[in-house]
Amino acid sequence: RPDVLIFPPILLGGTMLLGFVLDWLHPIPLLPPVAARIVGVTLFVLSGALAFSAQRALRRAGTNVSPHQPTLAVVTGGPYRRTRNPIYLGGLGVSLGVAFFINGLAPLLLIVPLFALLHWGVVLREERYLGAKFGEAYREYQAQVRRWL
């Protein structure tokens, strides 16, 4: 299994919770309220759909979704045709949607350290694991599909 620094749902949920608290302590709005809600809901729904679709692709391929369990196959179908990390991309989008929905600068600024922790603490570690486990098949996939977008 990959040696991820932190379990991604805890990282994403913890960052959103911290964003709520910081916004509650010191609210700084981003947009007019109605516009912020529209942007937030749109990002949340689209990003959630991406993550859900990616989870379905993993299950269809017969591999585990959790990074705490071994990966059983290199998945190249569904959203994995366009990005190697659609679940994490979806999670970042959901976090961004929440930041806009609550209309707070603090949750928006937390997206930067969230991305950094996700990238260096999870994604690069997973890539090392997948490269070691699947060898050339994974390296070919890496050469064809972007890590993020």
Side-chain angles (χ1 to χ4, degrees), residues 25-114:
L25 292 172
H26 189 69
I28 300 172
L30 300 168
L31 297 170
V34 173
R37 294 281 162 94
I38 291 169
V39 170
V41 167
T42 302
L43 283 169
F44 186 91
V45 169
L46 292 175
S47 298
L50 173 63
F52 180 75
S53 172
Q55 288 177 358
R56 282 187 40 208
L58 291 174
R59 286 189 185 101
R60 274 194 311 269
T63 190
N64 295 306
V65 175
S66 173
H68 286 347
Q69 297 176 319
T71 302
L72 305 174
V74 175
V75 179
T76 59
Y80 289 92
R81 290 179 308 218
R82 303 275 183 241
T83 174
R84 296 195 312 258
N85 296 290
I87 293 176
Y88 300 146
L89 191 59
L92 286 166
V94 164
S95 296
L96 192 58
V98 168
F100 276 102
F101 186 81
I102 66 172
N103 202 15
L105 180 62
L108 180 67
L109 294 177
L110 288 175
I111 299 295
V112 174
L114 170 61

Side-chain angles (χ1 to χ4, degrees), residues 10-32:
I10 291 173
L11 176 60
L12 291 160
T15 303
M16 285 187 270
L17 181 61
L18 179 60
F20 280 126
V21 170
L22 292 174
D23 185 66
W24 179 73
L25 292 172
H26 189 69
I28 300 172
L30 300 168
L31 297 170

Side-chain angles (χ1 to χ4, degrees), residues 50-51 54 79-80 82-92 118-119 122-124 126-127 130 138 141 145-149:
L50 173 63
Y80 289 92
R82 303 275 183 241
T83 174
R84 296 195 312 258
N85 296 290
I87 293 176
Y88 300 146
L89 191 59
L92 286 166
L118 199 56
H119 181 75
V122 177
V123 170
L124 294 182
E126 285 183 349
E127 287 183 352
L130 294 169
Y138 186 70
Y141 174 63
V145 178
R146 292 176 181 258
R147 179 180 287 138
W148 292 107
L149 292 176

